[in-house]
Amino acid sequence: IKSVRAGWVLRVQVPAPFVLHWTDNEWQDTHDDRSIPTSIGIEFVDINVAQSQQAPVRFTFHWVKVDKWEGKDYEVSVKQ
């Protein structure tokens, strides 16, 4: 996904346990959220995108089982 609407929820999901290291204000503040497992083998983290949000959501993964960082940042733009 390349963009999300302000006021919506951005769901990041993958088939492995992870900690999502993310920001919604250009890395001024960061958050670390552990993924939530599902019964179908998918793990996810939901990010509530504020109605007033303008900066993109940026994130990277820390893979729990192998204790390794992704080594790449991802960006999802926010549309009003």
Side-chain angles (χ1 to χ4, degrees), residues 34-74:
R34 188 172 179 104
S35 61
I36 299 168
T38 68
S39 61
I40 59 171
I42 300 294
E43 303 254 344
F44 72 94
V45 168
D46 284 343
I47 298 173
N48 293 310
V49 180
Q51 188 66 41
S52 60
Q53 178 77 21
Q54 293 184 358
V57 176
R58 298 181 193 276
F59 60 90
T60 191
F61 297 93
H62 182 260
W63 302 108
V64 174
K65 285 187 177 180
V66 294
D67 191 23
K68 184 176 180 183
W69 286 96
E70 175 76 9
K72 176 181 179 182
D73 287 351
Y74 297 90

